[in-house]
Amino acid sequence: DISFAPKAVLLGEDFTFNDGNYINIGKGLSVEADVTMNDRHGSGMRFYTIPGTEYTHNANLELFNINLEKLTGVIPYAPDLAGMLNLDLNIKNGEQGFMLGADAFAEALAYEGVPIGNEIIEAVYFPKDNDTHYIDLRLLHEEEETVHLSANYETGGLDGKLTLTRFPLAMSRACLQDAGVNLDGYINAN
């Protein structure tokens, strides 16, 4: 059993933990948890499990109001990111196998000082029969879907569909700024 003291300092900020917080790791790596950590700015993390479902494991990790500039500022060799990150990750394990769902929202995202915008990533993964796996990935730029990948994959290959809908080439400026390339317009593709 793991529990956290009521207060901690992380990245130079004071955080508080919920009363009665815990993480219990049992046989077969079964996990039970209820941990919430907040700072005075509303940033934090929540890790919790949902008992009594049809899944052997049903765990959730939420990160909220994470300042990317502060976070990447303390990670060696990390790119210079700015903006606020919110992430919701759900992991389930049951008779059908391991399933994963994730939603990430980066508000006012900037890379190496170049503004990119408000970005959302939605992802779903689950195994299928015969060692085949399914993934569905969506990228939304300013609340408009710009990339959608829906695919099955197995050893040796990927079979699916990738769609670009008004994907803004201006986003590439963040990665190409040192190359002297300045793209504009949109890409549509299937």
Side-chain angles (χ1 to χ4, degrees), residues 28-29 31 47 54-60 89-102 123-129 131-135 153:
L29 294 180
V31 176
F47 177 57
E54 72 268 22
Y55 298 100
T56 308
H57 304 94
N58 190 350
N60 294 279
L89 177 67
N90 177 257
I91 302 169
K92 296 177 181 172
N93 193 11
E95 290 181 21
Q96 298 295 322
F98 170 76
M99 297 170 52
L100 174 74
V124 174
Y125 160 85
F126 59 87
K128 295 173 70 175
D129 296 333
D131 292 327
T132 302
H133 306 268
Y134 175 77
I135 186 167
Y153 70 92

Side-chain angles (χ1 to χ4, degrees), residues 2 10 42 46 50 62-63 78 81 88 96-97 104 142 145 156 160 168 182:
I2 301 168
L10 182 64
R46 182 171 183 218
I50 303 171
E62 299 172 0
L63 302 177
L81 295 177
D88 187 4
Q96 298 295 322
E142 303 297 345
E145 184 177 298
N182 188 10

Side-chain angles (χ1 to χ4, degrees), residues 99-171:
M99 297 170 52
L100 174 74
D103 295 315
F105 173 54
E107 182 179 5
L109 180 64
Y111 178 84
E112 297 293 336
V114 178
I116 295 174
N118 297 316
E119 308 303 318
I120 298 172
I121 296 174
E122 299 172 345
V124 174
Y125 160 85
F126 59 87
K128 295 173 70 175
D129 296 333
N130 303 326
D131 292 327
T132 302
H133 306 268
Y134 175 77
I135 186 167
D136 190 85
L137 179 66
R138 297 172 190 270
L139 172 64
L140 289 81
H141 173 71
E142 303 297 345
E143 299 185 13
E144 296 290 329
E145 184 177 298
T146 57
V147 177
H148 182 203
L149 171 66
S150 179
N152 292 306
Y153 70 92
E154 58 188 329
T155 303
L158 181 71
D159 180 26
K161 181 178 180 181
L162 174 65
T163 305
L164 301 176
T165 307
R166 289 188 51 83
F167 182 82
L169 291 172
M171 288 177 65

